[in-house]
Amino acid sequence: MKILKTMNGKYIALTVAVLSMAISYAQKKTVIPAHTPKSATVCARSNTDTIEFTHNKDFKPAHSRIATNQLSINFSKHFTQAFPEKPLSNNASVIFELQIETDGSISSVSILRSGFKSEYNDKLKEIVRTVTADTWSPATYKGSKIRSQYTLPITIFANVNEL
């Protein structure tokens, strides 16, 4: 009986030692560094290189002087005029990628995502150029204007006449 008590005591001591090492090991593995870098939020591209900006205080992205919601309303009105035979029963969305030049003009438009048939793409690109013409301020880096890409989500409202 005395041998059993001694073995149980050793077994318990060994178990406690193993558990404390496992806990300290697990704690060492879950430490998160104070500064965890975030992924790039904006990317300015040119023909020769790509510069990624991760929360860089010297970079200011391109922006429209008209709010995105107002751009969506204006786009919806142009859409209903361009496609009177295609009334929408629900709101639809289109995501554009615009190339904003140093003078604020749009040099290229591409559609990243759309629920419309590809035959509508050219007209959708034309509408977004019309709606956003002369509204862009170019991106700047260290005070210099630079060419950049801008992702523009547009909601096409089904009941635009009621807005």
Side-chain angles (χ1 to χ4, degrees):
M1 200 70 151
K2 192 172 189 178
I3 296 172
L4 188 57
K5 285 183 182 176
T6 308
M7 287 181 69
N8 280 342
K10 287 181 181 177
Y11 179 73
I12 292 172
L14 181 61
T15 304
V16 169
V18 169
L19 285 175
S20 65
M21 286 189 314
I23 291 171
S24 68
Y25 179 76
Q27 288 175 347
K28 288 178 186 172
K29 290 293 184 184
T30 57
V31 173
I32 297 172
H35 173 71
T36 304
K38 297 180 180 175
S39 62
T41 54
V42 179
C43 180
R45 296 181 183 169
S46 69
N47 290 339
T48 57
D49 61 354
T50 299
I51 303 171
E52 291 187 7
F53 300 96
T54 307
H55 305 290
N56 189 321
K57 66 180 181 178
D58 294 328
F59 176 75
K60 292 189 177 34
H63 64 278
S64 174
R65 292 185 285 275
I66 300 175
T68 305
N69 191 40
Q70 186 61 47
L71 286 173
S72 290
I73 292 170
N74 295 349
F75 189 94
S76 299
K77 290 178 180 177
H78 280 81
F79 180 85
T80 56
Q81 291 172 357
F83 300 105
E85 74 287 350
K86 186 167 176 49
L88 296 175
S89 56
N90 295 321
N91 293 349
S93 72
V94 181
I95 300 177
F96 295 97
E97 186 175 64
L98 311 174
Q99 181 83 30
I100 310 297
E101 295 297 324
T102 57
D103 62 354
S105 65
I106 300 171
S107 62
S108 70
V109 176
S110 61
I111 296 177
L112 298 179
R113 195 172 339 155
S114 170
F116 297 101
K117 295 179 181 176
S118 59
E119 59 207 37
Y120 293 107
N121 286 354
D122 289 338
K123 190 63 176 174
L124 293 172
K125 290 177 187 179
E126 182 183 323
I127 294 171
V128 81
R129 282 181 183 271
T130 302
V131 169
T132 63
D134 301 324
T135 65
W136 295 102
S137 295
T140 60
Y141 181 65
K142 293 185 178 180
S144 299
K145 295 177 181 180
I146 61 171
R147 177 190 299 169
S148 64
Q149 287 184 316
Y150 186 87
T151 302
L152 178 65
I154 293 286
T155 301
I156 305 172
F157 297 108
N159 57 352
V160 70
N161 295 330
E162 298 172 13
L163 297 178

